Amino acid sequence: MTVTLADVAARAQVSPATVSRVLNGNYPVAASTRERVLKAVDELDYVLNGPASALAAATSDLVGILVNDIADPFFGIMASAIQSEIGGPGGRAGGERLAVVCNTGGSPERELTYLTLLQRQRAAAVVLTGGAVEDAPHKAAVAGKLRRLAEAGTRVVLCGRPPAPETGAIALTFDNRGGGRELTEHLIGLGHRRIGYIAGPEERTTTRHRLEGHRAGLAAHGIEEDPRWTVHGRYDRRSGYEATLELLRRDPSLTAVVAANDSVALGACAALREAGLRIPHEVSVAGFDDLPFSVDAVPALTTVRLPLAEAGARAGRIAMGREEAPPGGIATVRGELMVRGSSGPPRG
Amino acid sequence: MTVTLADVAARAQVSPATVSRVLNGNYPVAASTRERVLKAVDELDYVLNGPASALAAATSDLVGILVNDIADPFFGIMASAIQSEIGGPGGRAGGERLAVVCNTGGSPERELTYLTLLQRQRAAAVVLTGGAVEDAPHKAAVAGKLRRLAEAGTRVVLCGRPPAPETGAIALTFDNRGGGRELTEHLIGLGHRRIGYIAGPEERTTTRHRLEGHRAGLAAHGIEEDPRWTVHGRYDRRSGYEATLELLRRDPSLTAVVAANDSVALGACAALREAGLRIPHEVSVAGFDDLPFSVDAVPALTTVRLPLAEAGARAGRIAMGREEAPPGGIATVRGELMVRGSSGPPRG
DNA sequence: TATCAAATAGAAAGCGCTTGCTATCACGCC
DNA sequence: GGCGTGATAGCAAGCGCTTTCTATTTGATA
């Protein structure tokens, strides 16, 4: 029924071993033999049985990529870059690896389950993207899984995630704190003193770091923060919209709103516009990430550009062992402040 | 070193067969025995060897999702919906399947390679999203692969893709033609007669169908199309920007621009704004897809909403055999015209 | 021409799991 | 009290491939 290695061998009049060697190309096979085998493969339309070879060779060509939300370009861009370096189809021949993008939806349980699934598949490498959840037990559970994966020979890379000590995982961390601070200082420099902040979900590292950066910026300029100025929400547009209405209700005198990311900022812009407030004349807005659409917002969004594609590509190369890990297994990736039309001096 | 079924069996004082049956839960095992086994699994931190069980059972829990561009929310949204129905982690217990999102980058070769890779992994199902490339040999090659996959028991579903006859693939097709026509007729209804069209890449079905719809709309109202009014490009913002400049150069008297999709439309808006043309007062703009950011554009984008999430979810359910295939294996998914601020009557 | 070393091909032993079939055991029934 | 019966558990034969080790061939060397 299904064609097996043995069928090909029979047809090419060689042993299964030889066919396997031709297909894997890591053992000398005479050109004439190889040709005969390849011909048989072609004629029989043979496709290697992945599970069987993975079992026999004790390795697999699966590479896992964990993302929080695949519908969010923030992750899409990283995943795309990682995948392009995985060497999957399109990469160099022979190294055909299957990149598995797993959508955790930000749920710790799903994250763990996916890690187990990847461990089960004996994945060659795993790249985890996006902020981590700060719940202690979960953190420990993930660390345990990562350690176990690393021990089993799976290369583990964290991209845009804080380091996971003692797990053997390589980390490329985004400097969310520094970026957040720079952004807020930019606004302060323009003259803003009453700045609202729309944070992401409470329990994520990304949320905390960006917020800490923001607060550090305020503190550095002796601005005391009003607790009413911070609202937590999700990392999406809707959340930005609602949070902005809430901020406006709490303190209509705000002259600027900093959002946890660009999507949130877009929602904020929408809310401000509906409230009849012009951007940036009456309220300045800033985002984070510099996703492709941010430059198209009207006015274009002031934000912090994160080199998502570059970081992803690097993570991919490290995962494939094609680039050396940074010293200490940790590297910090900085963002770049992009000043655009959505921020300006406060009115008055 | 690595823990195997046998180790667990030894520890629980049962045979490997019993352990396997406990883990798969498809054979009666006494409660006390099960408990003992589960305890051993836990103590040894045992994780099933995926390839081995896939080999032995001749099935796998991998489900492939092919997308053109994972960084594009159009695909991200569908992939996310498909994945949520795959029943991966988060779905019902037992049915833990690994969704594999494969990024073809729109390249026919990569598409084929990925299909082979999935065939090699003996994927349980494969969902192909997005428009197909119209090159005849490639089409035949893909059809062959799909047929072979279906024969091997892999369920194949096309989501937002034209049907592939004789392959056994179920197709949920988007009514790109109808949507395109409706959109153009909307503009005509507003009084537009000179409408530019920024199409996608030439060789894709999606491009052709939307363009055909547009032309059908023009024809239905007796408007003769000027060949200068159509420009081809990619499905991204940049392309929309450049194509719009080109259109403006060719015929500055255009009163509306229809874009192949929302990203392209955003680029068009940017170009028009830079050219000092107000939207919609001087030029109307329309997109396609209604991605989340479209409502945030200023003015909000008139477009055709495609129920990406619903279609993806349905495709996922069909792929998992949890929903019946549509009669004839083909269903058409209609779009809905969303009239917003970016379209209005032509000036004068 | 005899000898040795490459070069190349094959035999066979698993890799870790599933599953059809068989064995065992405890009951309950005639 | 012997025996059918259902409920469990184990045996063992693979699943299709890789890879070590061995056999064979060939060409070069002395």
Side-chain angles (χ1 to χ4, degrees):
Chain A
M1 220 216 68
T2 42
V3 183
T4 72
L5 238 211
D7 299 329
V8 176
R11 174 143 199 148
Q13 316 224 56
V14 296
S15 73
T18 301
V19 177
S20 168
R21 299 205 259 243
V22 168
L23 262 25
N24 290 295
N26 46 12
Y27 189 90
V29 173
S32 64
T33 314
R34 176 198 319 286
E35 217 169 293
R36 205 143 33 91
V37 170
L38 257 19
K39 184 153 160 283
V41 166
D42 204 56
E43 288 169 353
L44 294 176
D45 222 347
Y46 172 68
V47 174
L48 202 61
N49 182 316
S53 54
L55 172 58
T59 62
S60 127
D61 47 8
L62 243 56
V63 175
I65 302 175
L66 264 64
V67 302
N68 279 352
D69 181 4
I70 204 179
D72 182 341
F74 176 82
F75 293 100
I77 291 169
M78 276 195 287
S80 175
I82 295 166
Q83 193 162 34
S84 73
E85 292 290 340
I86 294 300
R92 87 191 77 286
E96 272 167 9
R97 310 187 155 280
L98 229 197
V100 179
V101 178
C102 307
N103 197 205
T104 66
S107 142
E109 299 79 50
R110 293 178 70 167
E111 183 166 288
L112 277 174
T113 315
Y114 269 127
L115 286 174
T116 303
L117 237 37
L118 287 165
Q119 185 184 0
R120 173 177 302 180
Q121 298 297 333
R122 307 298 189 250
V126 174
V127 180
L128 292 93
T129 66
V133 167
E134 299 217 278
D135 176 59
H138 174 249
K139 220 160 107 182
V142 169
K145 272 270 174 266
L146 296 186
R147 191 172 336 107
R148 209 126 335 102
L149 278 164
E151 278 166 9
T154 297
R155 222 174 310 229
V156 179
V157 182
L158 307 174
C159 183
R161 219 180 214 252
E166 326 247 314
T167 58
I170 309 295
L172 301 182
T173 310
F174 291 143
D175 181 22
N176 285 310
R177 207 169 290 155
R181 174 167 176 166
E182 206 179 339
L183 189 59
T184 294
E185 294 198 311
H186 155 69
L187 291 170
I188 295 173
L190 286 172
H192 294 274
R193 290 297 175 272
R194 292 185 306 286
I195 306 176
Y197 191 92
I198 308 176
E202 299 251 18
E203 71 289 357
R204 328 216 111 231
T205 52
T206 308
T207 299
R208 183 161 60 79
H209 294 159
R210 291 183 181 178
L211 182 51
E212 283 175 5
H214 168 68
R215 290 184 169 154
L218 292 176
H221 294 262
I223 299 176
E224 196 167 335
E225 206 206 355
D226 186 323
R228 293 176 306 153
W229 294 347
T230 301
V231 177
H232 280 271
R234 282 154 290 118
Y235 276 121
D236 60 24
R237 167 183 191 281
R238 183 91 196 276
S239 178
Y241 181 90
E242 290 163 358
T244 301
L245 295 182
E246 173 65 20
L247 282 175
L248 252 27
R249 196 174 311 128
R250 293 187 186 175
D251 184 353
S253 75
L254 291 174
T255 64
V257 173
V258 176
N261 75 9
D262 290 350
S263 297
V264 173
L266 243 47
C269 289
L272 291 170
R273 250 193 316 275
E274 284 184 22
L277 295 165
R278 285 177 310 149
I279 304 167
H281 316 90
E282 292 166 281
V283 178
S284 286
V285 175
F288 209 113
D289 294 342
D290 195 22
L291 295 186
F293 57 70
S294 305
V295 71
D296 278 317
V298 181
L301 214 52
T302 289
T303 185
V304 175
R305 163 173 295 173
L306 248 25
L308 299 176
E310 292 81 350
R314 186 164 171 211
R317 285 192 301 271
I318 294 174
M320 302 312 294
R322 287 202 275 112
E323 177 173 324
E324 236 178 298
I330 300 181
T332 300
V333 176
R334 317 200 79 80
E336 182 191 356
L337 179 64
M338 307 298 288
V339 176
R340 304 209 183 96
S342 73
S343 63
R347 94 208 108 165
Chain B
M1 221 218 70
T2 43
V3 183
T4 71
L5 238 211
D7 298 330
V8 176
R11 173 143 201 147
Q13 316 225 56
V14 296
S15 73
T18 301
V19 177
S20 168
R21 299 205 256 244
V22 168
L23 262 25
N24 291 296
N26 47 12
Y27 190 90
V29 174
S32 64
T33 313
R34 177 199 319 286
E35 214 169 296
R36 206 144 31 94
V37 169
L38 257 20
K39 183 151 161 283
V41 166
D42 204 56
E43 289 169 352
L44 294 177
D45 223 347
Y46 172 68
V47 174
L48 202 61
N49 182 315
S53 55
L55 172 57
T59 62
S60 126
D61 47 9
L62 244 54
V63 175
I65 302 175
L66 264 64
V67 301
N68 280 351
D69 181 3
I70 203 178
D72 182 340
F74 176 82
F75 293 100
I77 291 169
M78 275 195 286
S80 176
I82 294 167
Q83 193 162 35
S84 74
E85 291 290 340
I86 294 301
R92 85 190 77 290
E96 270 167 11
R97 311 189 155 276
L98 230 197
V100 178
V101 178
C102 307
N103 197 205
T104 66
S107 141
E109 299 81 48
R110 293 178 70 167
E111 183 166 289
L112 277 174
T113 315
Y114 269 126
L115 286 175
T116 304
L117 238 36
L118 287 165
Q119 187 183 1
R120 172 177 303 180
Q121 297 297 335
R122 308 298 190 249
V126 174
V127 180
L128 291 92
T129 65
V133 167
E134 300 218 279
D135 176 59
H138 174 249
K139 220 161 107 183
V142 169
K145 272 269 174 264
L146 295 187
R147 191 171 336 107
R148 206 118 349 94
L149 277 164
E151 278 166 8
T154 297
R155 224 174 309 229
V156 179
V157 182
L158 308 174
C159 183
R161 220 181 213 251
E166 326 247 315
T167 59
I170 310 296
L172 300 183
T173 310
F174 290 142
D175 180 23
N176 285 310
R177 206 169 291 155
R181 173 166 178 169
E182 206 179 338
L183 189 58
T184 294
E185 294 198 309
H186 156 69
L187 291 170
I188 295 172
L190 286 171
H192 294 273
R193 290 297 175 273
R194 291 185 306 286
I195 306 175
Y197 191 91
I198 308 176
E202 299 250 19
E203 71 289 358
R204 327 217 111 233
T205 51
T206 308
T207 299
R208 183 162 61 79
H209 293 158
R210 291 183 182 177
L211 182 50
E212 283 173 5
H214 168 67
R215 289 184 170 152
L218 293 177
H221 294 263
I223 299 176
E224 195 166 336
E225 205 205 357
D226 186 324
R228 294 176 307 152
W229 294 348
T230 301
V231 176
H232 280 271
R234 281 154 293 119
Y235 275 121
D236 61 23
R237 167 184 191 280
R238 183 91 196 275
S239 178
Y241 181 89
E242 290 163 357
T244 301
L245 295 183
E246 173 67 19
L247 282 175
L248 251 28
R249 196 175 310 127
R250 292 187 186 175
D251 183 353
S253 75
L254 291 173
T255 63
V257 172
V258 177
N261 75 8
D262 290 349
S263 297
V264 173
L266 242 47
C269 288
L272 291 170
R273 248 192 319 273
E274 284 183 23
L277 295 166
R278 286 178 309 150
I279 304 166
H281 317 90
E282 292 167 280
V283 179
S284 286
V285 175
F288 209 114
D289 293 344
D290 195 24
L291 295 186
F293 58 70
S294 305
V295 70
D296 278 317
V298 180
L301 215 52
T302 289
T303 185
V304 176
R305 163 172 296 174
L306 248 24
L308 300 176
E310 291 80 351
R314 185 165 172 208
R317 285 192 299 270
I318 294 174
M320 300 313 293
R322 287 203 275 112
E323 177 173 325
E324 235 177 298
I330 300 182
T332 300
V333 176
R334 316 201 78 81
E336 181 191 354
L337 180 64
M338 307 298 289
V339 176
R340 303 210 183 95
S342 73
S343 63
R347 96 206 104 168

